[in-house]
Amino acid sequence: METSSQSLDRRRDALQIADSMLPAGIKAPVWVATQAEFARIVEAHAQRRQVCLDSESDSFYRYPERICLIQMQWDDQAYLVDTLVVRDLSPMVAMMADPAIEKAFHAAEYDISCFKRVCPSMVRVEGIFDTMAAAQILGWKDLGLAALIKNHFNVTISKALQKSNWGYRPLSRMQMQYAAIDVSYLSRLAAIQEAQLRELGRMEEAREEFDRLGRTQTISLQFDPQGYHYIRGASRMDDKTLSRLRELYLYREAQARARHVPPFRIFGESVLEALAQEAPTQESQMRRIMGLTPFVLQRYGRDLLRILRAAPDAPPAGEARERPLAFDYAERQQLVRLKEWRKAKAQERGVSPDVIVSNDTLIQVVRLHPRDKDALSAASVMGPWKFKTYADDILRVLQQGA
């Protein structure tokens, strides 16, 4: 926890952020490092009709990850909330659930998932405006926030700090500048996008996507001991190879937790796959595996050889891999035709295919075999706007060749 002196230094640094990088009229951000101050700020802005939001985590540096910073901006004032100290987000719950308050994000899904994980009482999030989703629906080619700010405001923002260590304290002046700028343009960008969405008659479609994002579920940080089944190549492994993969996967997880670093920083999944497949018996053989650097071999080499030697002949019986039901020939053809229809529709509208309907939705539709609109509606695989717009086309495509 920072000292009062460090907190004052941070406030001073924040006030010195270069005005040239912030939109005209936007004040330097305020650093928030107490629970009481956070609650007071949220309460003081309870009647404002828009708040711009973002967050920063330390997923590249710590395991399990933490939310390290929340950026909040009302009107001309941004706040940087130190969530390593301010851990109770419940003052935000009413604001996040109020559909009359617009919550402007860029790529809201991850932020909302993190908020809900940290604050389980944050069940409802309504009134979202997501500038990335809006850009997709408008058919804009550039989707990243830095590119959008450059295109519309002629301001160049370095993304070099995007993967910096947000869990380290004190934050640098450059980190605070980056964090503040991330929310400072959202209101202006959302206004531009909303005008274009209305002009093109796409606002209803956008609102449906924003509502879907608000229903984002928490991404669990709970380790899945059977997650090795999802590593590339696992589905083609025999029992002995799969057993080696399992043991290596569990070992990597134990090391990651002991060292408080993400598993990929121990070694990557490609290394797990190669070790399980090749089953080296001595260190000289392991040196040929890409990703097993001298440092990794020195730290983990002996353990890896021991694990490979001791691996059982097969994974535990209760961990049989689940294989998705395979499509038959007719279903595969239906999926191909649906993707062709989606591609043509996307080209007609000038958007990417997943804006029309996602791959997951198409797969669900093929598995469901809906005979009519009532059956398709009952499956709830699409929102009302997409159903109204595309249901007839989807059923027509499904009936081709039937």
Side-chain angles (χ1 to χ4, degrees):
M1 184 178 296
E2 68 180 8
T3 66
S4 58
S5 175
Q6 288 173 323
S7 181
L8 288 172
D9 289 343
R10 186 105 65 263
R11 291 172 185 270
R12 192 176 302 115
D13 284 345
L15 291 171
Q16 294 172 354
I17 286 178
D19 290 340
S20 61
M21 297 295 292
L22 296 169
I26 298 296
K27 299 175 183 176
V30 172
W31 182 259
V32 180
T34 70
Q35 192 69 50
E37 187 176 10
F38 173 61
R40 180 188 64 76
I41 286 168
V42 174
E43 175 62 26
H45 295 86
Q47 302 305 313
R48 305 292 173 89
R49 295 298 88 189
Q50 184 193 58
V51 57
C52 301
L53 293 158
D54 192 20
S55 68
E56 308 296 342
S57 298
D58 59 359
S59 58
F60 285 89
Y61 298 90
R62 191 179 189 279
Y63 186 69
E65 69 177 55
R66 303 169 296 181
I67 300 181
C68 301
L69 194 72
I70 292 178
Q71 302 99 294
M72 311 177 77
Q73 180 162 316
W74 289 274
D75 300 327
D76 60 353
Q77 183 65 70
Y79 300 87
L80 306 181
V81 182
D82 183 358
T83 47
L84 298 185
V85 179
V86 180
R87 298 181 180 180
D88 179 6
L89 301 187
S90 61
M92 293 174 61
V93 169
M95 175 189 77
M96 298 299 284
D98 188 344
I101 301 175
E102 181 175 275
K103 273 70 71 173
F105 288 90
H106 186 80
E109 195 162 13
Y110 178 75
D111 296 313
I112 292 173
S113 174
C114 289
F115 292 172
K116 289 183 176 181
R117 184 183 72 239
V118 173
C119 183
S121 60
M122 193 181 292
V123 177
R124 294 170 55 221
V125 178
E126 299 190 19
I128 289 172
F129 192 106
D130 188 321
T131 55
M132 187 171 81
Q136 291 173 313
I137 292 168
L138 288 166
W140 293 358
K141 301 306 179 186
D142 294 319
L143 301 178
L145 183 57
L148 294 178
I149 292 173
K150 174 64 175 176
N151 293 346
H152 294 277
F153 307 104
N154 198 31
V155 174
T156 300
I157 297 173
S158 171
K159 302 299 284 185
L161 291 173
Q162 189 173 35
K163 295 181 180 178
S164 64
N165 189 351
W166 294 98
Y168 183 78
R169 294 293 184 271
L171 293 181
S172 70
R173 288 179 57 191
M174 289 298 294
Q175 283 177 302
M176 290 190 291
Q177 182 183 46
Y178 168 89
I181 290 171
D182 254 15
V183 289
S184 64
Y185 287 92
L186 285 180
S187 181
R188 291 163 169 79
L189 181 58
I192 292 170
Q193 292 178 322
E194 182 170 352
Q196 292 193 23
L197 287 166
R198 293 189 184 283
E199 181 181 347
L200 295 173
R202 298 183 182 181
M203 196 64 220
E204 185 181 355
E205 177 183 9
R207 288 296 180 201
E208 181 168 285
E209 176 61 12
F210 300 160
D211 289 346
R212 185 193 69 81
L213 291 169
R215 297 191 296 273
T216 296
Q217 298 300 306
T218 299
I219 299 173
S220 174
L221 298 184
Q222 189 73 28
F223 173 64
D224 179 6
Q226 297 188 43
Y228 63 95
H229 285 301
Y230 302 104
I231 293 175
R232 183 179 177 181
S235 62
R236 300 186 299 275
M237 291 179 181
D238 59 33
D239 284 347
K240 181 62 177 180
T241 307
L242 190 62
S243 177
R244 289 194 292 264
L245 181 67
R246 176 184 184 273
E247 299 305 313
L248 292 165
Y249 172 76
L250 295 176
Y251 171 77
R252 184 183 69 160
E253 173 67 14
Q255 292 299 312
R257 289 191 176 271
R259 300 178 186 278
H260 301 290
V261 297
F264 73 85
R265 298 191 69 177
I266 304 297
F267 38 78
E269 291 188 353
S270 62
V271 171
L272 293 177
E273 180 189 6
L275 284 170
Q277 294 278 17
E278 298 179 25
T281 58
Q282 50 190 332
E283 187 175 312
S284 60
Q285 295 171 327
M286 289 198 294
R287 293 195 191 103
R288 297 196 293 265
I289 295 177
M290 186 175 296
L292 280 181
T293 64
F295 173 80
V296 172
L297 283 174
Q298 181 180 11
R299 175 168 283 185
Y300 305 115
R302 290 183 180 179
D303 283 350
L304 295 175
L305 289 173
R306 173 182 54 77
I307 289 166
L308 290 168
R309 286 194 300 268
D313 290 335
E319 294 187 11
R321 63 190 122 191
E322 294 183 7
R323 299 179 185 273
L325 294 173
F327 284 146
D328 61 26
Y329 176 78
E331 290 171 329
R332 289 197 299 273
Q333 292 303 108
Q334 284 183 326
L335 186 58
V336 168
R337 287 194 294 269
L338 283 170
K339 288 185 175 181
E340 290 173 348
W341 160 80
R342 182 181 64 170
K343 181 179 179 180
K345 183 63 69 173
Q347 290 174 341
E348 175 188 318
R349 292 191 50 198
V351 299
S352 62
D354 59 315
V355 170
I356 306 301
V357 285
S358 68
N359 281 331
D360 286 345
T361 297
L362 293 183
I363 290 170
Q364 289 181 67
V365 167
V366 171
R367 292 197 189 283
L368 288 166
H369 301 288
R371 297 289 184 180
D372 51 35
K373 291 177 75 170
D374 288 342
L376 185 57
S377 176
S380 300
V381 295
M382 292 182 288
W385 185 90
K386 286 187 186 294
F387 181 83
K388 176 180 65 178
T389 307
Y390 300 128
D392 288 333
D393 284 351
I394 289 173
L395 289 168
R396 175 180 51 78
V397 173
L398 288 173
Q399 290 162 6
Q400 291 174 1

